[in-house]
Amino acid sequence: DSLGYTLIESPHVAGDYSLENIARFPIPFIKGLGRAAASYIDLSRSHEPKAWPHGNIEEVSIGNQLRPVMITQPNPEHCTDPKNAINEVMFMGLTELNEGSHRFYHEDLAKANPDHRIISIMTPGISSHGPVLNPLEGLTRLLDTTAEEYLQALPDLTHDGIINIYGTSLGSVISFHLAALNLARNNHQKLNIGVIKLASPAAGARDVHEHEKFNEYDASNQKYIRDVRNRFFLHMPQDAARMALRHPEKAGECMSVALIYSMDIGKHIPRLFTLIGNLKSAQQGIDWETMKYVTRSHKLKVIGGEDDPLMKEQLPQYVKLKELSPNVEIRILKDYGHALTLDSESVVRHFNE
């Protein structure tokens, strides 16, 4: 706490790469792979609503497309007025909507908040269930454009309830942009946004004033950004392996995403261009004045892994924001990296605490 953040000890005492962990890996991994494949086939063929807390896919007009949105309505046993229910709106990173790590996160959030509405919005052009973008549009699209489209679509999804925002990885950039756009609106147009919660954020500050510098470089320096990006790409395979050994069944479901993607041959090129465009936009960072503007107006909760190269570089900026505003809370989880949302139960628990 004296450093400006809370460091949480890991419950994983035994070595992740122990013979015991490796030996027990195959069976639950295969089970998860099979369950995800069955879920994908069912989703492709059936539009029957799933039982609570499972998210149901709805096609929603966002921008100039009908895009898939996953929604879990409040549990009727816990919510007397769904129209006024609190909304937990999740902006996803470069992941899949109804298979893999995000589904666990979505459903665990619903279980922890049964009287709330949980809404997960897919990054445009990424989902295997949704439309792709024109390759040129995907390559040149900015994330503040995505944020503007989400801002326009949210009133029809959230009804009259408060809106809490969850940004995961790339979704953290969208979260800052959306909150800033909302604050700039006229009072009668503003959405009632409550808390902003970021997990494994990827929102680096740029254009930081000299008297407020917290790092030698910021996101304005392209050489620095390339170095951080390269360290991140080296980190991810190692972190994915570690999390797979901790959660083999979930890892099996996540692996199915790669298989699902490989079957959508017609979407490979536009999806690749969109991935590149999203990464390029995220690497531009968020203007430092915008970050201060948002955190002065909203409570901000940040959870990251101690081993995550992106979190290591962003931690000083969030500590600085906490110095400037009492609205910021930061938790760093030991022995976790960027893929920490695979342990979605822990992430949800920390946010709720």
Side-chain angles (χ1 to χ4, degrees):
D1 285 332
S2 62
L3 296 174
Y5 60 90
T6 304
L7 185 63
I8 308 295
E9 292 291 335
S10 170
H12 301 280
V13 179
D16 289 314
Y17 298 102
S18 66
L19 288 176
E20 180 182 356
N21 282 352
I22 293 172
R24 69 179 178 83
F25 175 78
I27 293 176
F29 178 83
I30 293 170
K31 186 187 296 183
L33 195 67
R35 183 166 61 231
S39 171
Y40 177 78
I41 293 169
D42 181 56
L43 184 67
S44 300
R45 294 178 178 177
S46 172
H47 296 284
E48 291 296 319
K50 302 292 190 298
W52 190 93
H54 196 290
N56 291 292
I57 304 294
E58 298 183 15
E59 287 194 333
V60 176
S61 179
I62 302 177
N64 59 356
Q65 294 179 322
L66 285 176
R67 297 181 192 157
V69 174
M70 185 158 64
I71 303 175
T72 298
Q73 295 293 347
N75 188 329
E77 296 180 5
H78 294 85
C79 181
T80 55
D81 186 4
K83 188 176 181 182
N84 292 311
I86 294 174
N87 299 277
E88 311 289 350
V89 180
M90 309 180 80
F91 301 144
M92 301 157 59
L94 300 177
T95 183
E96 183 56 63
L97 184 65
N98 199 47
E99 294 85 20
S101 61
H102 187 76
R103 183 177 65 78
F104 312 133
Y105 194 5
H106 179 105
E107 292 184 4
D108 284 336
L109 190 61
K111 292 172 188 173
N113 301 278
D115 55 337
H116 295 188
R117 180 181 295 104
I118 316 299
I119 301 169
S120 291
I121 304 181
M122 186 70 207
T123 307
I126 302 298
S127 173
S128 64
H129 302 296
V132 294
L133 299 175
N134 174 282
L136 182 60
E137 180 189 357
L139 189 63
T140 58
R141 182 184 182 87
L142 299 176
L143 290 173
D144 52 358
T145 300
T146 300
E148 178 65 46
E149 291 177 350
Y150 289 176
L151 192 61
Q152 298 292 338
L154 279 178
D156 290 336
L157 295 170
T158 56
H159 303 284
D160 297 330
I162 294 171
I163 302 169
N164 294 326
I165 293 175
Y166 289 72
T168 302
S169 190
L170 184 89
S172 64
V173 181
I174 297 171
S175 298
F176 271 113
H177 282 310
L178 183 140
L181 289 168
N182 187 59
L183 287 169
R185 285 178 155 191
N186 296 326
N187 283 335
H188 72 278
Q189 293 179 311
K190 284 182 182 176
L191 301 184
N192 187 6
I193 294 177
V195 184
I196 300 171
K197 306 180 184 185
L198 309 180
S200 295
R206 71 165 188 267
D207 299 327
V208 181
H209 302 301
E210 278 298 324
H211 69 279
E212 291 182 310
K213 285 280 189 183
F214 37 79
N215 279 338
E216 185 177 0
Y217 304 109
D218 63 28
S220 310
N221 187 298
Q222 291 305 302
K223 186 176 182 299
Y224 166 70
I225 289 298
R226 284 195 300 271
D227 175 66
V228 175
R229 180 193 63 200
N230 292 340
R231 282 188 278 134
F232 172 73
F233 286 154
L234 287 173
H235 162 78
M236 282 306 297
Q238 302 172 37
D239 193 39
R242 172 170 61 179
M243 295 302 286
L245 287 170
R246 291 179 184 175
H247 306 280
E249 197 161 334
K250 290 182 176 181
E253 294 203 34
C254 291
M255 182 59 69
S256 70
V257 176
L259 300 176
I260 291 164
Y261 273 14
S262 68
M263 292 187 291
D264 287 332
I265 297 174
K267 294 184 177 182
H268 285 180
I269 291 177
R271 185 181 286 135
L272 176 63
F273 276 62
T274 302
L275 286 168
I276 294 170
N278 281 330
L279 289 172
K280 284 173 59 180
S281 182
Q283 288 171 27
Q284 294 178 15
I286 305 288
D287 182 75
W288 177 239
E289 289 300 314
T290 297
M291 299 187 91
K292 292 193 294 182
Y293 179 41
V294 169
T295 51
R296 282 196 298 266
S297 306
H298 297 289
K299 189 174 184 64
L300 176 69
K301 294 186 177 185
V302 180
I303 294 177
E306 186 184 34
D307 300 334
D308 180 0
L310 300 187
M311 192 67 239
K312 287 179 182 178
E313 297 302 322
Q314 291 170 89
L315 183 56
Q317 81 186 23
Y318 290 118
V319 171
K320 186 67 177 179
L321 286 171
K322 185 175 181 180
E323 291 176 7
L324 299 172
S325 170
N327 293 331
V328 181
E329 295 180 17
I330 310 160
R331 287 195 176 188
I332 303 299
L333 309 187
K334 291 192 70 173
D335 300 319
Y336 281 89
H338 193 76
L340 66 82
T341 54
L342 197 61
D343 188 359
S344 50
E345 290 181 5
S346 293
V347 173
V348 169
R349 184 179 71 252
H350 285 297
F351 273 140
N352 280 0
E353 289 174 356

